[in-house]
Amino acid sequence: MKTIEEINEKIKKGKVVVVTAEEMIDITKKKGTKKAAQYVDVVTTGTFGPMCSSGMFVNVGHSKPRIKIGGGKCSLNDVPAYCGIAAVDLYIGATASPDDDPRNTVYPGAFKYGGGHVIEDFVNGKDIRLVATAYGTDCYPRKKIETYINKNTVNEAYLYNPRNSYQNYNVAVNVSDKMIHTYMGSLKPNMNNASYSSAGQLSPLLKDPKYRTIGIGTRIFLGGTVGYVSWNGTQHNPSALRSPDGLPRAGAGTLAVTGNAKEMNGGFLKGASFVGYGATMFVGLGIPIPILDEEMAYFTSRSDEDFWAQVVDYSHDYPERIPKSLCEVTYAQLKSGKININGKEVPTYPISSYSKAQEIASILKEWISVGSFLLSSPVAPLPGIDAGIKMNTLEER
Amino acid sequence: MKKRIILRFKRSTIDKPIVYKLVKDYNLIFNILRANISPKAESMMVMEIEGTEQNFKKGIKYLKDLNIDMESIEQDIRRDELKCVHCGVCTSVCAPDALHIADRKSMKVEFDYERCVACELCVKVCPVKAMSVFFD
């Protein structure tokens, strides 16, 4: 019915009709999916949550004399970075903690500063202390360096996040009689609270559940600037449980994404500490979805009432890898502030920011309506529902 | 007038019905924000007391005469609006619902300072360290 090229022509001419996923729900309620598909060209989405599988590659430039940090050891603001690659290429991961962080020895640990905080400081333009040691070679004689880097002194700095933007996620509860501290927050004993982490009706992959328009090469909003989908994310599981119309009812697809960290800002990349769990980073990500036909209008107009998630016990079932769901709830129920789990009323709380997700969807809408952001056709599709993917587990042998 | 004060009392005074007296004799409105009463050690209570200036002074005098140490609360919980991302994590630990999500459309976390009892749990769990203890 419509192609991405045609939509891009409309964007260039300033005639595009672009709406946020929230607005699309209302438009479709009034007009129906058929008319909505004719009227709307692009629906913008957004999400802002803690995404542990995130990090940044940095090329720090060559010192005089040269040092081969590659194969040696290095840290950024005392947080260890990976340097098992070329001489001055580093990777700082969001969950890395300083070697002298007490971690959970005094339980629950605070994890005040980690890789995510380094990345936030870096994108905010702050100086970052680099300490590196090496073994010295004929071509790279230096064995130690201590200096400062920032986004103006380094060569490339780009985010490469192996798994972001989960298509749906678990709702976490604790059925034990002790408080537990998890990546889903602190969970009260006897199922006295429940946490969830998805933007629901604003979440990018929930609005293109079958990956018809989001694929490798898709241009996106990442950390406040333009980024790209570089691959499917790790643990991408298109085979997850779905409703008859294809909406995932559990954690399913994921994205690997990349973008220029020098252009990003701390408003959309934020270091985070989860008590008793570790350091991580909030990542802001948004994807525009072209309304190619009525099916895309249908998918993009599904609302919180249509999206279901599985309630999982994080005191026993999750740690023991027991694939058990206590019950299913909708995001409308989760967002109301309480859910009913097998007869018990349980207060809910989010750990991903819905208001930030709204902000991202609005910014992306603005970029597209002023013509500064064009849509892209995927270079290759993500593995789909029929790809026969199944999640492998790690066995001891 | 309305004031938050911290009361510290010795073992010998823990059996005195001070709250009853404040209400009955001095017509003061009280709100116990925190209390840790123990016969084994020094006890403390954080109260918000409200009433006319005259009654307030009389009430304070009554407490002083009982040898109860008093200090006005200097400790405040504040939110750094630039740091807060409105994720919602703090709402799970805030017992008096000072931090709460009222608007379920925007899902923004509101901070109702009047309800805060300075328990500091939000300071511990806030993933972006937007909540902090502030000393006047």
Side-chain angles (χ1 to χ4, degrees):
Chain A
M1 203 178 95
K2 253 183 253 172
T3 64
I4 287 174
E5 289 73 26
E6 286 164 3
I7 294 172
N8 277 341
E9 280 311 308
K10 284 184 162 181
I11 295 175
K12 285 178 200 162
K13 286 179 186 153
K15 287 183 175 164
V16 71
V17 177
V18 51
V19 300
T20 67
E22 282 183 332
E23 291 163 342
M24 184 62 173
I25 294 166
D26 294 336
I27 290 168
T28 309
K29 261 181 202 151
K30 280 182 206 137
K31 290 183 186 269
T33 45
K34 198 172 178 183
K35 281 193 174 159
Q38 287 163 354
Y39 170 62
V40 177
D41 300 313
V42 185
V43 169
T44 61
T45 62
T47 184
F48 185 94
M51 303 189 198
C52 287
S53 212
S54 299
M56 177 175 73
F57 279 106
V58 193
N59 178 288
V60 296
H62 289 277
S63 61
K64 186 180 175 174
R66 292 178 195 262
I67 182 169
K68 178 168 126 53
I69 301 171
K73 280 185 175 169
C74 76
S75 65
L76 296 171
N77 284 352
D78 291 330
V79 180
Y82 181 77
C83 51
I85 33 179
V88 293
D89 284 340
L90 319 175
Y91 185 80
I92 175 81
T95 66
S97 271
D99 287 338
D100 61 358
D101 188 296
R103 294 179 164 78
N104 264 344
T105 47
V106 183
Y107 182 79
F111 303 94
K112 280 193 175 152
Y113 195 87
H117 300 89
V118 175
I119 296 168
E120 181 189 349
D121 283 344
F122 180 88
V123 301
N124 282 336
K126 290 188 186 163
D127 269 341
I128 309 286
R129 184 159 181 79
L130 165 71
V131 176
T133 53
Y135 48 83
T137 71
D138 291 338
C139 44
Y140 291 90
R142 190 168 193 146
K143 289 186 176 167
K144 190 167 180 21
I145 191 163
E146 287 188 40
T147 183
Y148 288 89
I149 60 163
N150 65 42
K151 65 175 168 184
N152 298 314
T153 71
V154 302
N155 291 311
E156 296 75 16
Y158 54 89
L159 229 58
Y160 190 94
N161 302 347
R163 179 170 10 116
N164 277 182
S165 194
Y166 236 118
Q167 190 180 27
N168 212 339
Y169 211 79
N170 291 340
V171 177
V173 294
N174 168 15
V175 303
S176 80
D177 57 6
K178 286 192 191 76
M179 181 90 167
I180 60 168
H181 303 281
T182 74
Y183 67 86
M184 294 295 283
S186 299
L187 298 169
K188 292 179 184 170
N190 305 315
M191 227 160 57
N192 273 315
N193 64 0
S195 65
Y196 64 100
S197 185
S198 171
Q201 62 191 12
L202 270 174
S203 182
L205 282 176
L206 282 179
K207 302 261 111 161
D208 183 7
K210 295 177 175 173
Y211 327 113
R212 280 190 58 203
T213 70
I214 301 171
I216 295 163
T218 298
R219 189 177 292 123
I220 63 172
F221 172 107
L222 181 63
T225 188
V226 172
Y228 295 89
V229 173
S230 44
W231 203 250
N232 61 262
T234 53
Q235 294 176 31
H236 174 69
N237 184 16
S239 320
L241 178 70
R242 287 174 190 262
S243 301
D245 58 1
L247 306 184
R249 295 169 90 95
T254 67
L255 299 174
V257 297
T258 191
N260 187 354
K262 290 185 180 185
E263 292 171 6
M264 295 181 186
N265 69 72
F268 298 101
L269 283 185
K270 256 195 155 47
S273 312
F274 277 83
V275 175
Y277 178 72
T280 181
M281 185 167 71
F282 279 97
V283 177
L285 191 155
I287 305 185
I289 297 171
I291 305 305
L292 303 176
D293 52 27
E294 194 179 344
E295 189 187 43
M296 290 316 294
Y298 172 80
F299 284 141
T300 49
S301 61
R302 293 310 87 200
S303 67
D304 285 330
E305 287 86 29
D306 304 307
F307 295 115
W308 292 81
Q310 307 297 317
V311 179
V312 173
D313 165 45
Y314 273 65
S315 67
H316 178 257
D317 293 349
Y318 183 86
E320 290 300 324
R321 209 183 75 197
I322 295 163
K324 190 176 145 191
S325 166
L326 299 176
C327 70
E328 284 184 308
V329 291
T330 68
Y331 280 95
Q333 290 162 359
L334 287 164
K335 279 171 72 182
S336 77
K338 45 184 182 267
I339 53 173
N340 191 301
I341 305 175
N342 307 325
K344 182 181 164 85
E345 191 174 88
V346 181
T348 61
Y349 71 97
I351 62 172
S352 107
S353 171
Y354 190 78
S355 69
K356 276 277 185 184
Q358 284 175 322
E359 193 184 335
I360 291 165
S362 301
I363 293 171
L364 198 46
K365 175 184 166 181
E366 175 68 17
W367 286 354
I368 292 167
S369 42
V370 301
S372 67
F373 186 108
L374 293 177
L375 305 195
S376 56
S377 297
V379 180
L382 299 170
I385 298 171
D386 305 324
I389 287 179
K390 83 180 218 309
M391 285 300 102
N392 289 327
T393 52
L394 179 63
E395 304 305 327
E396 290 160 271
R397 60 192 172 100
Chain B
M1 66 185 290
K2 189 159 135 185
K3 225 174 172 182
R4 290 179 182 201
I5 53 171
I6 304 171
L7 310 180
R8 294 184 197 283
F9 31 104
K10 308 252 160 16
R11 274 149 70 171
S12 54
T13 42
I14 64 164
D15 58 341
K16 301 282 185 297
I18 58 163
V19 173
Y20 169 83
K21 287 280 197 185
L22 290 177
V23 178
K24 188 88 168 75
D25 297 354
Y26 307 105
N27 200 23
L28 292 168
I29 300 167
F30 73 93
N31 188 9
I32 299 173
L33 303 174
R34 263 168 108 178
N36 189 0
I37 315 288
S38 162
K40 288 182 189 157
E42 193 192 72
S43 298
M44 67 82 85
M45 185 152 72
V46 182
M47 285 176 98
E48 190 175 74
I49 303 176
E50 193 178 349
T52 64
E53 201 171 335
Q54 206 182 8
N55 283 339
F56 191 90
K57 278 184 181 159
K58 279 186 195 162
I60 294 292
K61 187 175 179 302
Y62 159 75
L63 294 172
K64 271 189 184 155
D65 290 346
L66 281 176
N67 240 346
I68 293 171
D69 282 341
M70 268 170 295
E71 47 189 303
S72 56
I73 202 162
E74 288 161 353
Q75 190 177 312
D76 254 356
I77 300 295
R78 297 210 182 150
R79 178 164 79 175
D80 185 336
E81 300 297 335
L82 291 172
K83 281 189 184 167
C84 176
V85 296
H86 296 272
C87 63
V89 168
C90 56
T91 62
S92 74
V93 294
C94 187
D97 277 339
L99 288 154
H100 64 285
I101 300 172
D103 176 3
R104 295 274 156 187
K105 276 215 139 75
S106 78
M107 297 296 285
K108 282 208 166 183
V109 179
E110 280 163 45
F111 181 34
D112 184 352
Y113 172 76
E114 291 297 313
R115 287 198 229 167
C116 177
V117 300
C119 73
E120 299 177 30
L121 279 176
C122 55
V123 179
K124 289 201 182 86
V125 302
C126 174
V128 296
K129 304 280 164 272
M131 306 304 297
S132 57
V133 186
F134 190 87
F135 297 93
D136 278 327

